[in-house]
Amino acid sequence: MHDLMLLSFLLCLGTKADGSEIVNGIEVPDGKMPYMVSVQNATDHICGGFLYNEEFVITAAHCDSEKARVSHVVLGSNNLNNINKTMRIKIKKCKHEDYTKTASGHDIMLLQLTKKVKLSNKVEQIKLPKSGTNVSANTKCTVAGWGKTETRGKVMKKLRMVEVSVIDLNQCKRVWKKSNGNFPNNIVCAGGYKVKQGFCQGDSGGPLVCDETAVGIVSFNSNHDCDYPKLPNVYTDVSKYIDWIKKTVKQKKCK
């Protein structure tokens, strides 16, 4: 049923010709994409994330900052106006030890839940790729989040999703290096270039999902500019961090 509903969402996307509608994506009904997680501080949604198992969430390392002060996650609801205390779980943070800034790569972080979450039809983990897996160019994937729907816009209270295509990695690197110079390793590019669909601020940390597998983590776009097309959207390549994820989960030493 989940697959059929998702297919119907994507078919609807394909009928939208207006650019603003594609950039904004479509609303995801509650109960769909049950792996999605809202990473929050005391007052607001800060980033997206996705459930790895009953004790850990995966998100982007840059979501943890002195300004953001993320403290908990919300699971089990696509509508952030419709949550209760049981959906909020405090976290400990395991940021990748080699992360310094977004543009330098290693933009991945594990959030250890202070209590195990109970899996259900509204809270489910998502598959990860095998170590070293490469996603082919032009593969159709989805990205979802509660982020802004336009540059300088407001973050959303209801989860939205959009379809994006994977961009050839060499092409992505050429375009970015021509414009910005240095470019990190271990990334996947999809959307935001020669198309009017992609992610925006507030979507960071959410998954790039291809064939029901979380292959990427929303990392950065071009100068916080969501008025596409400009430069490809960049995701951390999850397949390059499988060993790190497994080791970190096994150690359970997040702080």
Side-chain angles (χ1 to χ4, degrees), residues 77-94:
S77 180
N78 291 345
N79 185 348
L80 299 184
N81 285 321
N82 186 25
I83 57 178
N84 57 51
K85 290 182 179 180
T86 64
M87 297 174 178
R88 294 187 179 95
I89 302 178
K90 292 183 178 180
I91 54 173
K92 298 178 181 179
K93 294 166 280 191
C94 275

Side-chain angles (χ1 to χ4, degrees), residues 131-143:
S131 182
T133 301
N134 293 316
V135 184
S136 301
N138 301 314
T139 299
K140 300 293 184 183
C141 306
T142 58
V143 59

Side-chain angles (χ1 to χ4, degrees), residues 2-137:
H2 173 265
D3 293 342
L4 289 174
M5 289 294 292
L6 187 57
L7 178 59
S8 69
F9 299 160
L10 298 181
L11 289 174
C12 288
L13 270 178
T15 66
K16 304 285 188 183
D18 182 74
S20 63
E21 289 180 279
I22 296 174
V23 170
N24 292 345
I26 60 172
E27 195 173 299
V28 181
D30 214 27
K32 306 304 173 185
M33 297 188 170
Y35 49 80
M36 288 297 299
V37 175
S38 172
V39 180
Q40 304 190 351
N41 61 16
T43 58
D44 298 300
H45 164 86
I46 300 298
C47 281
F50 49 102
L51 191 65
Y52 173 66
N53 65 17
E54 295 98 326
E55 292 184 84
F56 283 89
V57 165
I58 299 175
T59 187
H62 78 261
C63 293
D64 179 41
S65 68
E66 286 296 322
K67 183 178 180 180
R69 295 184 180 276
V70 295
S71 57
H72 65 277
V73 297
V74 171
L75 308 95
S77 180
N78 291 345
N79 185 348
L80 299 184
N81 285 321
N82 186 25
I83 57 178
N84 57 51
K85 290 182 179 180
T86 64
M87 297 174 178
R88 294 187 179 95
I89 302 178
K90 292 183 178 180
I91 54 173
K92 298 178 181 179
K93 294 166 280 191
C94 275
K95 188 182 298 186
H96 195 283
E97 54 272 17
D98 293 328
Y99 173 82
T100 55
K101 59 182 179 179
T102 308
S104 297
H106 308 296
D107 191 12
I108 182 172
M109 176 170 61
L110 280 167
L111 303 178
Q112 185 179 358
L113 307 180
T114 54
K115 64 177 181 180
K116 286 188 178 182
V117 66
K118 185 177 180 180
L119 300 181
S120 67
N121 60 343
K122 287 191 174 183
V123 179
E124 293 181 7
Q125 58 199 75
I126 188 171
K127 293 189 302 182
L128 300 188
K130 293 181 180 179
S131 182
T133 301
N134 293 316
V135 184
S136 301

Side-chain angles (χ1 to χ4, degrees), residues 101-213:
K101 59 182 179 179
T102 308
S104 297
H106 308 296
D107 191 12
I108 182 172
M109 176 170 61
L110 280 167
L111 303 178
Q112 185 179 358
L113 307 180
T114 54
K115 64 177 181 180
K116 286 188 178 182
V117 66
K118 185 177 180 180
L119 300 181
S120 67
N121 60 343
K122 287 191 174 183
V123 179
E124 293 181 7
Q125 58 199 75
I126 188 171
K127 293 189 302 182
L128 300 188
K130 293 181 180 179
S131 182
T133 301
N134 293 316
V135 184
S136 301
N138 301 314
T139 299
K140 300 293 184 183
C141 306
T142 58
V143 59
W146 291 271
K148 299 176 181 179
T149 57
E150 59 184 352
T151 303
R152 293 178 293 278
K154 296 180 179 180
V155 295
M156 297 288 102
K157 290 296 185 180
K158 295 183 179 180
L159 184 68
R160 303 181 74 84
M161 61 155 283
V162 70
E163 183 184 85
V164 292
S165 295
V166 173
I167 299 169
D168 177 80
L169 187 56
N170 290 327
Q171 178 188 8
C172 180
K173 288 183 176 181
R174 284 195 300 269
V175 173
W176 266 98
K177 286 183 177 180
K178 184 177 180 180
S179 177
N180 287 271
N182 293 331
F183 195 71
N185 295 318
N186 300 340
I187 54 93
V188 177
C189 301
Y193 178 63
K194 294 186 177 181
V195 294
K196 294 182 179 180
Q197 55 208 107
F199 60 70
C200 197
Q201 275 55 58
D203 295 325
S204 292
L208 176 67
V209 179
C210 311
D211 191 25
E212 300 183 343
T213 303

